[in-house]
Amino acid sequence: MTPIDCLIIGSGPAGYTAAIYASRANLSPVLYEGQQPGGQLTITTEVENFPGYPDGITGPKLMEDLRKQAMRFGADIRTGYVSDVDFSTRPFKLTIDNSTEIFANSVIIATGASAKYLGIDSEEKYRGLGVSACATCDGFFYRERTVAVVGGGDTACEEALYLSSIAKKVYLIVRKDHLRASKVMQQRVAENEKISILFNTNTESLFGEEFVEGAHLVEFKGTPEERRFDLPIDGFFLAIGHKPNTDVFAKYIELDDAGYIKQKGITTETNIPGVFAAGDVADPYYRQAISAAGMGCRAAIDVERFLSAARSNAKSI
């Protein structure tokens, strides 16, 4: 079987942008869309901060546009997910849907990261209807409204502080009796008059006719002091972390302590020459569609240079 020159794994902003650039570089990329074609933006309602859409656009439509653009330049977009990889030799061997084996001279990993949720049924019911895992993405829609953030670490404090500049009131729901965030973040939250911290509090469910209107909370759960109450809110933000989708690559690719792919210097290259990473799978800091798209561009350029250098040196890849 003739190896694919450029195989892209994942179909969010990073994957589709990589496909656009790789196609225009005549690399004939093949992209496997994965188990959630279009990535996390397919479950996002309005996107107002992606350049080029002055009136905003829905997440699914944005992904549809990026997909069409990649196909326009000849990207081969396929249904399926990568279930196994062998990066020990080149060409690399990958297994699709636990059955089909393919080979590739270079690989761009753009599998993203999945937000962690509490696991309550109403999270799914109101996802995109008041439930969000990205304050910088969706905070704008809650201007002068009341919101809650769940979490006690630096991310949760950062989200609460960001939302306090937009919302009328922010509640920080913390299941423990303390914050895990750094001292400076704790101080900033404590000094912010718009933020109220609810310690020792768990969220049992959300309620509302069409959109989130409030949360059913329980304080000191399982103790004699247990108290249940309802908190009227318009938005519910999860800030309990993300899990990068890297399990299938862990045997070969160097990851950080949280499971994100490590990159070499300013490039998108991993510890395996010929394997590159783009988007949220390698970015625990920004997690924005536009930054993921930018990394997809960089990864495609890195692939083109890698393949060109290998061929000019007359090396077998």
Side-chain angles (χ1 to χ4, degrees):
M1 179 183 293
T2 302
I4 296 164
D5 263 344
C6 175
L7 178 70
I8 301 168
I9 308 172
S11 57
Y16 285 143
T17 303
I20 291 168
Y21 274 78
S23 297
R24 287 172 55 82
N26 294 320
L27 298 181
S28 302
V30 172
L31 182 151
Y32 276 93
E33 293 187 298
Q35 295 175 313
Q36 187 179 359
Q40 293 187 74
L41 280 183
T42 58
I43 57 173
T44 300
T45 50
E46 293 294 322
V47 178
E48 295 192 331
N49 55 3
F50 198 94
Y53 295 94
D55 298 320
I57 187 171
T58 66
K61 184 62 169 64
L62 174 58
M63 289 299 94
E64 180 185 343
D65 286 350
L66 288 176
R67 188 179 193 274
K68 286 180 178 178
Q69 191 171 358
M71 293 180 68
R72 173 192 168 199
F73 293 114
D76 181 354
I77 298 179
R78 303 178 183 179
T79 300
Y81 72 99
V82 173
S83 53
D84 194 21
V85 301
D86 183 353
F87 290 155
S88 61
T89 59
R90 284 198 300 270
F92 306 117
K93 183 173 73 173
L94 303 96
T95 304
I96 309 299
D97 296 334
N98 294 307
S99 57
T100 305
E101 289 186 350
I102 60 172
F103 295 86
N105 292 326
S106 68
V107 173
I108 296 175
I109 300 172
T111 48
S114 302
K116 295 179 181 179
Y117 285 79
L118 296 175
I120 56 178
D121 293 340
S122 48
E123 283 176 319
E124 288 296 326
K125 178 181 178 181
Y126 295 108
R127 187 177 293 193
L129 301 172
V131 171
S132 172
C134 180
T136 52
C137 305
D138 301 324
F140 176 82
F141 302 108
Y142 299 91
R143 189 171 297 278
E144 293 303 317
R145 305 178 79 177
T146 300
V147 300
V149 177
V150 178
D154 278 337
T155 297
C157 289
E158 288 171 1
E159 301 272 84
L161 288 165
Y162 174 79
L163 288 167
S164 71
S165 68
I166 299 171
K168 177 176 63 177
K169 179 68 178 178
V170 180
Y171 291 96
L172 186 58
I173 302 173
V174 185
R175 65 184 179 88
K176 295 185 178 181
D177 62 358
H178 63 278
L179 293 172
R180 295 180 290 102
S182 59
K183 294 297 182 182
V184 64
M185 293 302 295
Q186 291 187 41
Q187 183 176 352
R188 289 174 183 171
V189 167
E191 293 175 351
N192 192 305
E193 295 181 352
K194 282 190 175 182
I195 301 175
S196 293
I197 307 175
L198 305 178
F199 287 114
N200 300 298
T201 302
N202 289 273
T203 305
E204 296 211 312
S205 64
L206 304 170
F207 63 87
E209 289 192 12
E210 184 177 356
F211 300 93
V212 169
E213 296 177 12
H216 297 303
L217 305 179
V218 56
E219 185 182 30
F220 298 112
K221 186 175 182 179
T223 72
E225 292 80 24
E226 182 174 292
R227 179 177 73 93
R228 297 176 183 274
F229 63 100
D230 290 346
L231 180 70
I233 54 173
D234 303 297
F236 186 77
F237 289 84
L238 280 302
I240 55 177
H242 285 72
K243 183 184 185 303
N245 302 318
T246 53
D247 289 351
V248 70
F249 313 111
K251 181 178 178 181
Y252 301 97
I253 300 298
E254 187 176 357
L255 310 175
D256 68 13
D257 292 341
Y260 289 89
I261 294 177
K262 290 186 177 181
Q263 295 173 312
K264 296 176 64 176
I266 63 171
T267 74
T268 62
E269 188 174 25
T270 69
N271 60 299
I272 303 291
V275 179
F276 304 83
D280 288 7
V281 74
D283 176 18
Y285 302 107
Y286 299 104
R287 297 198 303 270
Q288 298 297 301
I290 188 62
S291 57
M295 289 180 73
C297 160
R298 291 167 52 209
I301 292 172
D302 286 341
V303 164
E304 192 278 330
R305 291 173 178 171
F306 168 80
L307 294 174
S308 178
R311 285 166 180 155
S312 66
N313 292 332
K315 292 182 179 179
S316 173
I317 57 171

